[in-house]
Amino acid sequence: MSVASAVVLRRSARFWRSRADVWLAAGLFLVLLAANLALSPGRFAPANWGTLLGLMSPLLLAALAVTPPFLAGRGAIDVSVGPLMGLINVMIVQWLIVGQGLTSPFAIVPFAIAAGILSGALNGFLAAFLRVEPIVVTLGTFLIYSGLSLAILPSPAGSVPPWLRSLSGTYSFVPVLIAVVAWLAMKRTPFYELLMSTGSDDRAAFTAGVNVPLIRLLAFVLAGFFASLGALSLTALIGSGDPAIGPTFTLIAIAAAALGGVSLAGGVGGLASAVIGAAVIYLLQSMLTYFNVSTFVLQLSYGAVLIFAVCLNSEKIKLRIGLGERRP
Amino acid sequence: MIGRVIQGRTLVAFAAVLFVFLLGLSLVPGYGSSFSIRAMLVLASLLAIASLGQTLVMILGGIDLSIPFMIGFANVVFAKLYGDGAPFLLAFAAVMVAAGLIGAFSGAVSASLGIHPLILTLGVGTMIQASVQIWTRGLPTGSAPPFINEFVSLGGSVGPLPVPWVVPFTLALALVTLFVLARTTYGRRLYALGSNPAAAKLSLVRPVRIWAVTFAASAMFAGVTGILLLGFTGSSSAGVGTPYLFQTVAAVVIGGTALIGGRGGYAGTVAGALVLIELRTLLIGLGLSEALVQASLGAVILALVAAYGRDTHVRETI
């Protein structure tokens, strides 16, 4: 074996060991992909990739949105991601498009992103600076956003301009690409290391001089940002405003992140976990839909996946089968 | 010192009960009528029963998000069993045993695998709700026995008192809970495990057992609420518990029990439940739509909790 290939092997071994958290999801992904390909090969032809990504991207971006608060640790969680996506969706359709007649991307995209960041800052301020428990904060904003969505648009209505609609077809890669680039850019900044250290041990991070509350706040802002991209994808996909659809994303986004190995304890997980978790959930969804099951069965499977994922990703089980690192 | 803080927070919660009531009197005509007070007492009793388990779980340092789903489960399953001709006691026992087992599963798995109960109970709750819907094909049937309707009826009375039986029942439940928390080994173990799991383990408290028992209790009180709600609304629905997701958490937090565990008690939760129902009635009385009531309730509760239900700063934890 040449020296070069030995180095490559060693590096890739290290790469995979450092990503032990995504193994489970990666294995499930391959199994489900094979099952889906066997059931309906046509669906996964390259010509359909744009549409497929468009179908998957609201979930993918929602899963990415719930990840940064999880990374920040000490019970930080954002359950308001789903209703926020729904609220941005009805605000775009009812206020901008129907109300103001604004259909330009230069109005809609900045509006969506600003709304997402504002919501993230609100959640983060309440959770990190006013120090209300994150689950209480985001359950509160969950209620506020879903109530406001219903008040703005009581039943599904409206339509979207062609450029926005294309974000669920030909150009479905655009919101995802923006999210991925944003994540990778964030990873190159010192913020990423500070976030991971806050999540792993906030007290140690604090004594080392990390501004823990600020880092937690920024984690929620990131969640709001990714949720706003998710809202754009969602609006493109359903092509109208719908006050009821947003809140349903919270559960599957958390299930996807948990499946990908993101831990509520903090400091574990990232882009890869969210993406692969979302892909697994999507494939599961698509397979079950193939068998024409009711939405109740889909819901049952989300719950089961969530429990299965958190149990298998439990540190205690990993220690027993020799995958995990022993932590003091 | 901690004792004084709890007292302080419970007192603040009871002061809030009075304050919101006076606010309601001055803003909404008819807020202080006997019908409106009776309705608020009944609704607050139902919420307080549902929040009892949440209080115990939070003293332990956990959270139970499966409560709304267990309420829906008990509501639908009890109605169906009773409607299909099962005797009351059998239907009641079946629902309670099932709820207890489901709760014990959540608690035991959380504690033994070190999984945050927030995620686990969310998953378990979702599965329970979906299973109930699959079982009834989305169209629940059945009804409650007449004495349950009477037990929670707004027109009911207990001797000379113009309130239905559920109100004194909740009061008695509160007294029993206060006794259990303050004077029994279970209560001591609960606080010990919540304030310092490592130290509690060293004093031979078995975490898995206490977690299983506590989550089972939480699921069973949710079940009782579900059956009482059946008597209150008259027909069953799997989604009847949905508002209780946030409201049980909020009642406990407003009552001064912190999510980090080891602190708080049930007296505060009862006050928290009263505050929430008063606020809801006030917002409805102001003429807001259901959607806006929901949104403003979320905002008011956040403001309330931000005012005094705050966590410690990381610098204080070192």
Side-chain angles (χ1 to χ4, degrees), chain A residues 69-70 72-78 133-135 216 220 264-266, chain B residues 116 118:
Chain A
F70 277 144
R74 197 160 289 240
I77 182 173
D78 190 349
E133 285 287 341
I135 179 71
R216 289 235 160 88
F220 280 97
L264 191 61
Chain B
H116 201 296
L118 198 161

Side-chain angles (χ1 to χ4, degrees), chain B residues 206-231:
Chain B
R206 287 194 243 174
V208 176
R209 184 186 285 189
I210 300 278
W211 275 66
V213 168
T214 308
F215 277 76
S218 176
M220 287 162 82
F221 283 115
V224 171
T225 313
I227 295 173
L228 293 179
L229 271 172
L230 181 64

Side-chain angles (χ1 to χ4, degrees), chain A residues 77 126 129-133 135-137 139-140 143-144 146-148 150-151 202-203 206-207 213 251 254 264 296-297 299-300 303-304 306-307 310-311 314 316-317, chain B residues 63 109 111-113 115-116 118-119 122-124 126-127 129-131 133-134 246 249 253 259 291-292 294-295 298-299 302 305-306 310-315 317-318:
Chain A
I77 182 173
L126 286 164
F129 285 91
L130 291 186
R131 305 198 299 272
V132 179
E133 285 287 341
I135 179 71
V136 177
V137 170
L139 272 178
L143 274 196
I144 299 176
S146 43
L148 283 181
L150 274 170
D202 56 348
R203 299 192 295 174
F206 182 77
T207 38
L251 179 79
I254 291 177
L264 191 61
F296 302 140
V297 176
Q299 212 197 347
L300 185 72
L306 185 55
I307 296 175
V310 289
C311 287
S314 141
K316 290 195 181 170
I317 285 197
Chain B
I63 187 169
V109 171
S112 57
L113 296 185
I115 297 168
H116 201 296
L118 198 161
I119 304 275
L122 195 62
V124 169
T126 310
M127 283 186 73
Q129 193 185 35
S131 312
Q133 299 271 32
I134 292 168
F246 184 57
V249 177
V253 174
L259 270 78
L292 281 179
Q294 192 190 337
L302 279 187
V305 176
R310 299 171 62 185
D311 236 353
T312 43
H313 191 278
V314 59
R315 95 167 73 80
T317 64
I318 295 166

